[in-house]
Amino acid sequence: EVAWAVALLTSPRSAYITLNEPIKEVQKGDLTFSIVTVTGDIKEQAVTIEVFIKNTGKNLESFGSKVQSISDLNGNVYQLDAAYVGNEKVYGSMFSKLFRDAPLKCRYLFKGIEPEVKLIKLFNYPVQYHVPGTNSFDFVEQSVEFRDFPISWK
């Protein structure tokens, strides 16, 4: 075991195995999803995740997210309490236009998270949208996953 640890410490950087490397940005086609901030409120026992979505392709209609929950390192699941597009609170489903080269800011609030939770293990981010010029009932559905990112408690 000691030899293995020494080999890892003396090997070139490319040989390192990185465990729990945060995944805070994911690209799917013309869309880039980025976690901008993850802020915990100690008093409220709540976490807010701010996401930017950037579109480098065609303007999209009826863009919506279907975020439901996040999970911590111990397997605890926290349900979505509130969602915001820009500064507007969203009730039910969120649908917005997603224009080319204009980022869309979304915030998600999860309650009941104690400050001892330091890391979000999984934030599944399912979305759907309509591409103009296609059948109005045809929606593209896809999902991205953010993993292993820390909470900044205040």
Side-chain angles (χ1 to χ4, degrees):
E1 291 178 26
V2 173
W4 178 78
V6 170
L8 272 180
L9 292 173
T10 59
S11 296
R13 184 149 175 55
S14 61
Y16 284 15
I17 298 172
T18 306
L19 299 176
N20 296 327
E21 181 69 28
I23 298 175
K24 295 177 75 175
E25 184 169 282
V26 179
Q27 184 168 355
K28 284 258 186 157
D30 293 332
L31 301 179
T32 302
F33 303 85
S34 304
I35 291 182
V36 180
T37 60
V38 181
T39 307
D41 182 321
I42 293 171
K43 183 179 175 186
E44 297 292 325
Q45 292 190 345
V47 171
T48 300
I49 301 174
E50 185 176 276
V51 177
F52 267 21
I53 302 134
K54 294 175 244 165
N55 176 14
T56 58
K58 295 179 180 180
N59 292 342
L60 301 177
E61 298 174 342
S62 301
F63 180 88
S65 77
K66 297 179 173 183
V67 170
Q68 294 180 357
S69 63
I70 57 175
S71 303
D72 69 17
L73 200 54
N74 295 318
N76 298 310
V77 176
Y78 307 94
Q79 297 300 316
L80 178 67
D81 186 73
Y84 300 83
V85 175
N87 290 324
E88 276 188 52
K89 188 170 184 176
V90 176
Y91 299 93
S93 297
M94 173 202 90
F95 288 101
S96 176
K97 291 187 179 200
L98 184 56
F99 296 102
R100 177 185 173 98
D101 297 327
L104 179 65
K105 178 175 84 171
C106 302
R107 289 181 296 133
Y108 302 92
L109 175 67
F110 302 90
K111 290 188 174 179
I113 304 174
E114 297 182 3
E116 290 77 28
V117 175
K118 304 295 184 203
L119 185 81
I120 300 300
K121 183 65 180 161
L122 175 63
F123 178 33
N124 186 38
Y125 200 86
V127 297
Q128 68 178 19
Y129 54 88
H130 178 256
V131 178
T134 63
N135 184 319
S136 60
F137 295 107
D138 288 342
F139 278 78
V140 175
E141 293 191 16
Q142 59 187 16
S143 184
V144 298
E145 291 182 351
F146 300 105
R147 293 182 172 272
D148 303 318
F149 51 91
I151 301 168
S152 176
W153 288 98
K154 298 180 182 188

